Amino acid sequence: DQQVKQNSPSLSVQEGRISILNCDYTNSMFDYFLWYKKYPAEGPTFLISISSIKDKNEDGRFTVFLNKSAKHLSLHIVPSQPGDSAVYFCAASPLSGGYQKVTFGTGTKLQVIP
Amino acid sequence: EAGVAQSPRYKIIEKRQSVAFWCNPISGHATLYWYQQILGQGPKLLIQFQNNGVVDDSQLPKDRFSAERLKGVDSTLKIQPAKLEDSAVYLCASSFPTPGDTHFGPGTRLTVT
């Protein structure tokens, strides 16, 4: 049962254009959402997050949008740079019990073409 | 700030053998996680510690996997005996109990032949 789904295993974008990575979830208990970036042979790195009380969070070139009614979130990278080439994981967590339990999606490999 | 340290980085064993992984979290992080990432999948939580107590081990195959976190700092994850399907990258992560600031180690790539 895949509770967090990233249906696009890969994405190629030209440098300078927008990259849009999508994520869907099924568990209504999720109320905190995160994006992680992973380079080969390294562990995932936290990128940006959003709580369910918001529908948008922006950090520099990275913006995450949340549509709770559709159980959908997306990560926008503008402008895309070659260094953004990596695997991006969407993750979600319920905020309860004083700690988080994070469920990851399967990842989308982004390639930014110079 | 030193990151999460893991060793070894790579390990190749035969099925039915035993293996152990070590993790040293970021100083001051009370929460420690072990994740299993099989090729083509996202990381799956195996066990989560708060200090030296287990808060979630619901997805840990307890017949062959064990983990401990002595003194609430370092942690070890053991597999005994290993199966072919245990081939994966084992990621250790640590955090304060605040969502978002979870730091991952580089992982240990295990190959079971």
Side-chain angles (χ1 to χ4, degrees):
Chain A
D1 177 29
Q2 193 70 28
Q3 298 185 57
V4 179
K5 301 177 184 179
Q6 294 176 257
N7 293 318
S8 298
S10 62
L11 175 68
S12 290
V13 172
Q14 286 291 132
E15 180 178 5
R17 306 295 291 269
I18 184 171
S19 295
I20 300 177
L21 295 91
N22 292 303
C23 177
D24 297 293
Y25 62 97
T26 58
N27 190 336
S28 299
M29 299 301 292
F30 289 148
D31 48 19
Y32 195 81
F33 304 90
L34 311 97
W35 284 93
Y36 284 83
K37 176 179 177 179
K38 185 182 183 304
Y39 292 118
E42 295 183 12
T45 303
F46 170 73
L47 192 58
I48 192 169
S49 63
I50 188 169
S51 74
S52 59
I53 62 172
K54 294 185 173 182
D55 54 18
K56 176 183 176 181
N57 189 27
E58 190 172 353
D59 183 1
R61 297 185 297 112
F62 302 91
T63 303
V64 56
F65 295 92
L66 175 63
N67 183 333
K68 291 189 294 287
S69 60
K71 292 190 174 68
H72 177 83
L73 66 156
S74 61
L75 174 69
H76 293 208
I77 306 173
V78 183
S80 301
Q81 299 174 354
D84 296 330
S85 297
V87 177
Y88 289 79
F89 289 100
C90 171
S93 170
L95 283 177
S96 62
Y99 64 90
Q100 62 173 331
K101 179 179 177 180
V102 179
T103 301
F104 284 83
T106 53
T108 296
K109 184 175 183 179
L110 172 66
Q111 182 183 20
V112 180
I113 303 165
Chain B
E1 175 184 81
V4 176
Q6 288 188 248
S7 67
R9 292 294 311 274
Y10 305 91
K11 189 74 177 179
I12 300 174
I13 62 173
E14 295 182 351
K15 59 183 179 184
R16 291 186 289 273
Q17 286 187 323
S18 302
V19 64
F21 312 127
W22 173 82
C23 173
N24 181 236
I26 290 174
S27 177
H29 281 188
T31 308
L32 185 145
Y33 316 78
W34 282 102
Y35 286 86
Q36 179 193 58
Q37 185 177 9
I38 293 172
L39 187 65
Q41 299 181 19
K44 183 183 83 170
L45 180 67
L46 292 176
I47 189 167
Q48 180 174 346
F49 293 92
Q50 189 75 12
N51 296 307
N52 59 345
V54 175
V55 296
D56 191 335
D57 63 357
S58 57
Q59 297 192 91
L60 186 73
K62 298 180 186 63
D63 58 334
R64 298 183 301 105
F65 285 66
S66 64
E68 61 181 6
R69 190 182 184 195
L70 299 176
K71 301 180 182 178
V73 182
D74 293 9
S75 177
T76 57
L77 176 70
K78 297 179 181 177
I79 308 174
Q80 180 180 9
K83 293 185 175 182
L84 295 176
E85 58 262 35
D86 298 331
S87 293
V89 175
Y90 290 84
L91 295 161
C92 179
S94 70
S95 73
F96 296 112
T98 304
D101 59 347
T102 302
H103 298 258
F104 283 83
T108 297
R109 181 176 296 278
L110 173 67
T111 302
V112 182
T113 63

